[in-house]
Amino acid sequence: MKFDTPAGPNPIDRMKVVGQPHDRVDGPLKVTGTAPYAYERHAVAPGALYGFILGAAIAKGRIAAIDTRRADAAPGVKAVVSYLNAGPLGKGGKNTAKLLAGPEVDHYHQAVAIVVADTFEQARAAARLIDVDYVRGSGAFDLAAAAPTAPLTGGSSKEGSAAPKLDRVGDFESAFAAAPVTLDATYTTPDEAHAMMEPFATIAAWDGDRLTVWTSNQMINWAHEDLAKTLGFAPDKLRVDSPFIGGGFGGKLFLRADAVMAALGAKAAGRPVKVAMTRPMMFNNATHRPATIQRIRLGAERSGKLTAIAHEATSGDLPGGSPETATSQTKLLYAAPNRLIGQRLAVLDLPEGNAMRAPGEASGLMALEIAMDEMAEKLGLDPVEFRIVNDTQVDPEKPGRQFSQRQLVRCLREGAERFGWRARDAQPGRRRDGDTLIGLGVATAFRNNINMKSGARVRLGGDGVVTVETDMTDIGTGSYTVIAQTAAEMMGVGLDRVVVRLGDSDFPTSSGSGGQWGGNSSTSGVYAACVKLREAVAQRLGLDPAACDFADGEVRSGGRGVALTSAARDGELVADDTMTYGTLGKQYQQSTFGAHFVEVGVDAYTGEIRVRRMLAVCAAGRILNPKTARSQVIGAMTMGVGGALMEELVVDTRFGFFVNHDLAGYEVPVHADIPHQEVVFLDEADDKVSPMKAKGVGELGLCGVGAAVANAAYNATGVRIRDYPLTLDKHLDRLPEVGAMRRA
Amino acid sequence: MKAFTYERATSPAAAAAAVAGRPGAKFLAGGTNLLDLMKLEIETPTHLVDVQDLKFDRIDATADGGLRVGAFVSNTALSADPRVMRDYAVLTRAIQAGASGQLRNKATTAGNLLQRTRCPYFYDTNQPCNKRSPGSGCAAIGGYSRQLAVIGTSDQCIATYPGDMAVALRVLDASVETIDPKGAVRTIPLADFHRLPGKSPEIDTVLAPGELITAVTLPRPLGGRHVYRKVRDRASYAFALVSVAAVIQPDGTGRVAFGGVAPRPWRSPAADAALPHGGAAVVAQAFAGAKPTRDNAFKLPLATRTLAAALTPARTA
Ligand SMILES: Cc1cc2nc3c(=O)[nH]c(=O)nc-3n(C[C@H](O)[C@H](O)[C@H](O)COP(=O)(O)OP(=O)(O)OC[C@H]3O[C@@H](n4cnc5c(N)ncnc54)[C@H](O)[C@@H]3O)c2cc1C
Ligand code: SF4
């Protein structure tokens, strides 16, 4: 099915099942510990050996020699594989760095070898007996040092919004020079880790020249393609299976070393091998959200109308890598006739930078939305009003092009009302609760909507059960549930009559999970397959499909109702289809919007910033399931608090690696950091997007949170911090002296 | 992790002898620190002597009105003991500010005192670290040192002692009771227990090989207002950037020790004497001669401000 004209009325509009806050259908499996995650799938490959990956001890250079004799001789060891005996390997299209080093080392903790042994402990102990002789090379590890000479590149973040090299509309320089009120400020965001709960994990088993990997991956199709390419064999000999994923946040979008090394280890040992990456290795072995340096210039009339916007961002990556497209939202968010947008990319020899939840916008809004707060203050305008004044209903670069739906203003107004924004003191540093300085902050949330082609197969069994099969993944988002709801709505059956099977490369290729496209795209694919199945059912029953209504387990036509089950009495009905998209995404700008409101308390003595209240108002098309959507948004808000206040991969610019590479050093929020979070969804349905009329929310919920926290902290203290994370050392020396200190 | 052998000791002297008699042997208590370090091969003991059966799990009153805390008393039990909560509230607060409920259930009094530094380079065996492999150098000097010490350091090591409990014990003038392989017992004031790195940062404490901690004793209660204030980047489950343990008397005199700033809980008589003159005076005394790095220079003003908060009577936490 091709979606190329706005959706008319369709069965989803009934919203009997879709749009209802159903519990997750996979919930009981998760809470009883019976959802089969990759590393615990003991039954799929009984007697599997254990693999342990050795990571490179240097960031850049060459392996002069590898001596595995001590490891080979260690107890229980069945195989040791390094580049010396792995055979020729290709490189996947989606990963920048090779997944096995040798002889060149491209980054710290790049996989150097896998040891396969009878037990995990034996493999781990033997891995340390591999003697690797490294020749250190020199590398570039310091973004600030590389930034001044980084070339303009533009580019795409592979998952998410693209950034042009240099985008000009009007004459930015003249308009900026002429503007009565201007801002020119530079913001930085650090490298961040996905830090998902489940580590990279794979069980690999060969059967002759056929390979199966049970793994944890967001994009089955990409993993399938890139693993076949890396190992240099035909994709049809490979099966990738990943029904449950313990979080990914973009870290599992691509093929990673666990799958490649497990496959190599299993081949060498002649037996199935299971591999999980240890936590301390994940931070440097895998990908991360790249640090950015962002310069923003704003010029406005005294009325508050922006006349000039410039946003230039620099990030770094390995040679051949891609930028963090931090400027992408600035192309679309606020009106202004003169605009300049530029994206630079430095070569850095740090681990690979790549997509992490809301790549581009998450980092970009952390900067842009502080700049908007600073500018509002310069103009003497309320930050909510300032954003409303500069709203646009058209693409500012192509004014003929409308947004498919844009209710940012409503999000801001409704959020302000609900949050009690009026209580905010425009003058910072004045509200107190004992020794705590109180501040309120706001920021716009914006994330583009992306549609991906997505296929599914739907079966109607003789028992009346509707089974959906697609290689779509559920990374904790609720895919199982919204897909079941879609099939139930389309076929007119209860959720209990629907079975959803995901994550298997033998199933039709789906959108996968990334870029907040999964919910809308995968359910649209299921919609397409269900339309076909409805036709098959009608045909089998001798009815006109166009005149049929599927409800309450019946097919109704012309006042007559037939049990749906009867259509499959003589054999299962199967329908297969893929939803593809026409040019509506070009005709209309499709984006999701929201407003984040945050209250923080800052300890007047120690400068510790803690969040006290949070509210998100989201406008993101039809909400397929308010409960799972809310979970997505509060999870994203939590991640936003982490990015605002604590998360930072610290680069050792001498040795070229992330130093704090475990969960003690890389701090993410704990329960005590997260207060009550409120989420409101505006009642929307966007007919230009898909027959589901839905968009994504999983990333929207993160976009802007960091800046809302930063703006609240400024409102509390009167000290502006432009470098994330906002740790206390960045404002301590500028905080006012308080209480007992004055005595001293 | 390297292969090791394991035994459960049946008497304190036998435990001490078992460790002293085997190079590379170590005691095992709750295992929450030692096992983590073994998995990373930062510690590579060849033999573990488990002390859990030694009946060091009591908290008893002492003749001079204090408490004797068995080496194996869990952090949870110690912090929740009604006598401790009443008379040594700074200790309860310090323990409860550390780690997590699950860890405190498992962590023991002796093990907590002996927890090793959290310097990130110490944790990465690819990096030079004098504490982990003597003579290899110190990657933290000139590297990432935001968490590390500002005073008491040497040109060999700038790591902190990371724990909370010992900071409170220091302010309470606690002592450590030990037994050696020959059965000889000694008492070590906490002030002398942790070593400064000097030229041998690999040695954290004054304990001799095989010397087993049997108890920690607390002198008579001090009265006063007990404060433990731990400053960190997130609200819980993180090591201190700076912590302050203080016992303040109604007349403004008292005692103060700092955590997160030095290779041991940091306290000085001159700093205590300065307490009536306010936080800045105390910090000036306590941190005279401090050598912070660019990354951690903020700890000095932070210590001043945190102490000021602690001295403000309205605050109790
Ligand atoms: C995630 C995490 C977070 C943490 N956060 C904090 C925190 O915020 N604040 C804090 O203070 N601590 C924190 N800790 C550290 C924790 O307090 C220690 O791990 C714990 O107290 C160690 O006690 P244990 O009994 O498990 O010691 P073990 O690991 O068993 O032993 C530690 C050391 O003590 C030796 N030892 C044990 N008993 C004796 C004895 N009787 N005599 C002589 N030697 C002995 C062992 O040989 C070993 O060298 C944290 C730990 C973890 C894992
Ligand atoms: S500060 Fe000490 S523990 Fe850290 S790297 Fe240097 S020697 Fe090792």
Side-chain angles (χ1 to χ4, degrees), chain A residues 125-171:
Chain A
R128 300 194 65 104
L129 299 175
I130 301 175
D131 298 304
V132 187
D133 188 3
Y134 294 102
V135 181
R136 256 180 218 273
S138 65
F141 307 120
D142 187 346
L143 178 63
T149 54
L152 276 165
T153 52
S156 141
S157 67
K158 284 183 187 157
E159 179 251 12
S161 314
K165 251 187 176 175
L166 192 66
D167 232 14
R168 282 183 174 280
V169 175
D171 177 355

Side-chain angles (χ1 to χ4, degrees), chain B residues 52-128:
Chain B
Q52 65 175 304
D53 298 333
L54 298 186
K55 304 272 181 287
F56 291 157
D57 49 5
R58 294 174 54 94
I59 304 177
D60 296 313
T62 59
D64 64 353
L67 289 177
R68 184 171 184 279
V69 180
F72 207 78
V73 170
S74 75
N75 286 180
T76 300
L78 178 57
S79 72
D81 185 280
R83 294 161 293 181
V84 176
M85 291 175 74
R86 187 188 62 220
D87 297 332
Y88 306 96
V90 64
L91 181 56
T92 291
R93 293 195 174 118
I95 293 172
Q96 290 181 356
S100 67
Q102 297 91 327
L103 284 159
R104 295 194 298 268
N105 287 342
K106 201 83 186 116
T108 65
T109 306
N112 192 322
L113 278 178
L114 292 171
Q115 64 178 290
R116 306 212 66 194
T117 186
R118 294 278 163 173
C119 170
Y121 298 97
F122 175 76
Y123 268 84
D124 186 335
T125 49
N126 292 324
Q127 308 306 327

Side-chain angles (χ1 to χ4, degrees), chain A residues 664, chain B residues 26-36 43 51 56 71 75 97-100 103 106-116 118 161-165 207 211-214 230 232 237-240:
Chain B
K26 278 191 98 74
F27 300 114
L28 175 67
T32 61
N33 191 218
L34 182 57
L35 294 186
D36 281 4
E43 300 262 22
V51 299
F56 291 157
N75 286 180
S100 67
L103 284 159
K106 201 83 186 116
T108 65
T109 306
N112 192 322
L113 278 178
L114 292 171
Q115 64 178 290
R116 306 212 66 194
R118 294 278 163 173
Y161 170 78
D164 294 295
M165 182 190 81
L207 290 180
E211 191 171 357
L212 175 74
I213 300 178
T214 51
K230 179 177 182 181
R232 43 192 158 174
Y237 205 38
F239 288 92

Side-chain angles (χ1 to χ4, degrees), chain A residues 378-516:
Chain A
K378 285 185 174 225
L379 288 158
L381 280 177
D382 181 274
V384 170
E385 288 308 315
F386 177 50
R387 287 171 171 87
I388 290 171
V389 165
N390 289 292
D391 184 50
T392 173
Q393 291 296 313
V394 297
D395 176 347
E397 295 186 356
K398 302 182 193 78
R401 190 168 166 256
Q402 302 243 323
F403 282 90
S404 61
Q405 194 163 35
R406 173 167 166 138
Q407 298 206 70
L408 171 59
V409 171
R410 240 187 92 194
C411 293
L412 287 161
R413 288 219 193 281
E414 185 155 342
E417 186 58 37
R418 284 172 180 265
F419 200 65
W421 181 251
R422 249 167 305 171
R424 173 179 176 270
D425 190 334
Q427 182 153 345
R430 285 209 302 211
R431 256 184 84 189
R432 287 202 167 205
D433 174 2
D435 292 331
T436 305
L437 310 170
I438 308 293
L440 302 189
V442 66
T444 294
F446 174 94
R447 169 75 171 147
N448 273 333
N449 181 67
I450 303 166
N451 287 332
M452 297 279 272
K453 141 179 151 183
S454 195
R457 181 159 54 227
V458 192
R459 306 170 184 276
L460 175 65
D463 52 2
V465 171
V466 176
T467 303
V468 185
E469 293 170 340
T470 161
D471 82 358
M472 177 59 187
T473 50
D474 189 326
I475 60 176
T477 42
S479 310
Y480 277 105
T481 312
V482 294
I483 285 175
Q485 287 174 270
T486 303
E489 192 81 79
M490 290 298 289
M491 302 313 297
V493 298
L495 263 188
D496 59 339
R497 309 303 291 159
V498 180
V499 171
V500 179
R501 300 173 65 200
L502 300 182
D504 188 332
S505 62
D506 287 349
F507 296 154
T509 302
S510 74
S511 62
S513 299
Q516 78 170 12

Side-chain angles (χ1 to χ4, degrees), chain A residues 56-57 108-109 124-125 128 280 435 603-606 608 610 646 650 652 654-655 657 659 661-663 667-668 670 672-673 727-729 732 735-736 738 740-741 743-744, chain B residues 1 39-41 120-121 123-127 139 141-144 146 229-238 241 277 279-280 298 301-302 305-306 308-309 311-312 315:
Chain A
Y108 192 66
H109 276 173
R124 179 176 59 185
R128 300 194 65 104
D435 292 331
D603 188 302
Y605 287 92
T606 63
E608 291 158 296
R610 306 283 188 244
M646 61 195 83
V650 179
D652 186 314
R654 306 161 307 168
F655 300 135
F657 74 113
V659 184
H661 56 77
D662 59 26
L663 287 177
E667 290 182 16
V668 297
V670 294
D673 291 295
T727 48
L728 59 91
D729 44 304
L732 197 63
L735 290 179
V738 280
M741 297 182 59
R743 270 202 288 132
Chain B
M1 186 184 275
K39 290 175 192 168
L40 297 166
E41 293 196 13
Y121 298 97
Y123 268 84
D124 186 335
T125 49
N126 292 324
Q127 308 306 327
I141 296 176
Y144 172 56
R146 182 167 178 271
R229 179 69 168 94
K230 179 177 182 181
V231 183
R232 43 192 158 174
D233 290 323
R234 65 181 171 193
S236 179
Y237 205 38
L241 294 168
H277 307 292
F298 74 93
L302 181 60
R305 300 183 73 107
T306 308
L311 296 179
T312 303
R315 302 178 59 118

